């Protein structure tokens, strides 16, 4: 087999559940996983965007199941994982990409805004891992990839809630990685820098310009520059030695 076809089939037959797959990084990971031969179960709360991604993938010959779900909902996420296991026969890879961002100066931040952020960007990751991990332990193999953010490492102004949620995702990833590795389940995070997706649409323009200027690379990233990292972490042997790592496609913003 040539090097190119080995790369193309890196995830051949793997059963991958991807949340936030309707847009941005999650949709790009769905495309990259499909190209690598994975079987997909895609979740998002936005039915319309999920349908667009599914139709695009099906046109290219990939079999895709989808479910509309709020990842902050404990019962719906449990049902989502069970449906994935029932449709695909198991779950080999879980990618937690669903997330939102809002902004507020800390002294004006409503408690509701904090609670909403923790629910959607942190508790959701706990829930999806919580329901998927037992299946992976039973299989004796699995990969979990959590999409954090470099702001979970360095913090962001007006983003105390988001930074705390993403730091929580990183802590959860490391602890879960230690507990799961003996069972053959490898857990890692990707902490991107600013990436051109709809998520940044609502972020202050001045912040974006200052951020761009401060980046060693001088530019934001594109989703196609993040998804290959998710392929690597899910692949065998490429991802076999990554345990509790936080990989940073971030234009040089954070250098751990
Ligand atoms: N874009 C960036 O600059 C950047 C940087 C670092 C980290 N991230 C993280 O990457 C992940 C993906 O972000 P993106 O940039 O692709 O954003 P995006 O807005 O393009 O995609 C996010 C997707 O998540 C879905 N979603 C949001 N809340 C949900 C919920 N409660 N239940 C189910 N689905 C939900 C949205 O409908 C959307 O399809 C997020 O976790 C985000 O925090 C993004």
């Amino acid at each position: 087999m040539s090097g190119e076809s080995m790369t193309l089939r890196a995830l051949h037959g793997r059963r991958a559940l991807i949340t936030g797959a309707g847009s941005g990084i999650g949709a790009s990971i769905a495309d990259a996983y499909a190209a690598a031969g994975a079987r997909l179960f895609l979740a998002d709360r936005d039915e319309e965007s999920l349908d667009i991604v599914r139709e695009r993938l099906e046109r290219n010959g990939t079999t895709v199941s989808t479910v509309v779900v709020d990842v902050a909902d404990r019962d719906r996420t449990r049902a989502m994982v069970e449906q994935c296991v029932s449709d695909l026969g198991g779950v080999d890879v879980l990618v937690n990409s669903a997330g939102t961002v809002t902004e507020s100066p800390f002294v004006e931040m409503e408690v509701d805004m904090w609670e909403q952020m923790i629910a959607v960007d942190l508790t959701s990751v706990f829930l999806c891992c919580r329901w998927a991990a037992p299946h992976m332990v039973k299989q004796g193999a699995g990969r979990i990839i959590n999409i954090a953010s470099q702001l979970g490492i360095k913090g962001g102004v007006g983003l105390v809630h988001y930074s705390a949620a993403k730091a929580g995702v990183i802590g959860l990833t490391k602890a879960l990685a230690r507990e799961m590795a003996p069972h053959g389940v490898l857990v890692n995070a990707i902490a991107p820098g600013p990436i051109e997706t709809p998520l940044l649409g609502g972020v202050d323009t001045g912040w974006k310009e200052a951020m761009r200027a401060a980046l060693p690379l001088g530019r934001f990233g594109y989703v196609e520059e993040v998804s290959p990292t998710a392929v690597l972490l899910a692949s065998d042997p490429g991802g076999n030695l990554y345990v509790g790592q936080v990989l940073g496609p971030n234009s040089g913003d954070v250098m751990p």
Side-chain angles (χ1 to χ4, degrees):
M1 189 183 278
S2 72
E4 189 188 7
S5 52
M6 276 174 72
T7 307
L8 285 174
R9 310 306 294 168
L11 303 183
H12 181 64
R14 297 288 176 90
R15 301 158 297 190
L17 165 52
I18 305 171
T19 73
S23 176
I25 294 168
S28 180
I29 292 173
D31 287 339
Y33 276 21
R39 296 160 63 201
L40 301 179
F41 190 92
L42 307 181
D44 203 290
R45 70 177 170 189
D46 184 334
E47 185 167 15
E48 203 177 321
S49 60
L50 201 53
D51 284 346
I52 292 168
V53 173
R54 193 192 61 229
E55 282 161 21
R56 185 176 70 222
L57 288 163
E58 284 176 344
R59 270 199 304 278
N60 293 329
T62 306
T63 307
V64 187
S65 300
T66 57
V67 65
V68 177
V69 66
D70 177 350
V71 289
D73 183 312
R74 110 172 37 185
D75 297 327
R76 297 294 310 283
T77 48
R78 188 171 206 161
M80 169 189 78
V81 170
E82 295 313 317
Q83 194 186 327
C84 173
V85 170
S86 148
D87 285 8
L88 302 184
V91 56
D92 301 306
V93 185
L94 166 66
V95 179
N96 287 305
S97 188
T100 50
V101 68
T102 49
E103 274 184 293
S104 168
F106 182 67
V107 294
E108 295 167 15
M109 189 175 284
E110 300 286 349
V111 176
D112 282 351
M113 183 185 262
W114 165 269
E115 288 183 342
Q116 181 68 12
M117 181 59 68
I118 297 301
V120 174
D121 280 30
L122 176 57
T123 304
S124 67
V125 178
F126 163 79
L127 290 170
C128 296
C129 292
R130 176 64 186 82
W131 308 135
H135 293 285
M136 294 179 172
V137 168
K138 208 162 139 198
Q139 291 164 187
R143 303 283 167 101
I144 295 177
I145 299 159
N146 297 324
I147 308 301
S149 164
Q150 103 283 14
L151 295 176
I153 301 168
K154 65 181 263 188
V157 175
L159 294 164
V160 162
H161 56 337
Y162 183 79
S163 304
K166 293 301 187 178
V169 170
I170 291 171
L172 179 159
T173 298
K174 291 178 177 176
L176 191 59
R178 289 185 185 279
E179 199 167 327
M180 289 293 114
H183 299 283
V185 180
L186 306 187
V187 186
N188 291 283
I190 299 174
I195 308 296
E196 303 281 6
T197 73
L199 189 88
L200 288 190
V203 172
D204 177 67
T205 313
W207 182 89
K208 284 199 272 193
E209 276 168 19
M211 186 71 200
R212 210 173 262 123
L215 290 171
L217 209 53
R219 69 171 179 85
F220 289 1
Y222 296 100
V223 291
E224 297 79 10
E225 297 171 310
V226 177
S227 47
T229 305
V231 175
L232 172 79
L233 288 173
S235 70
D236 175 1
N240 289 4
L241 298 182
Y242 290 96
V243 179
Q245 300 301 304
V246 183
L247 302 191
N250 64 20
S251 306
D253 190 23
V254 167
M255 301 182 192

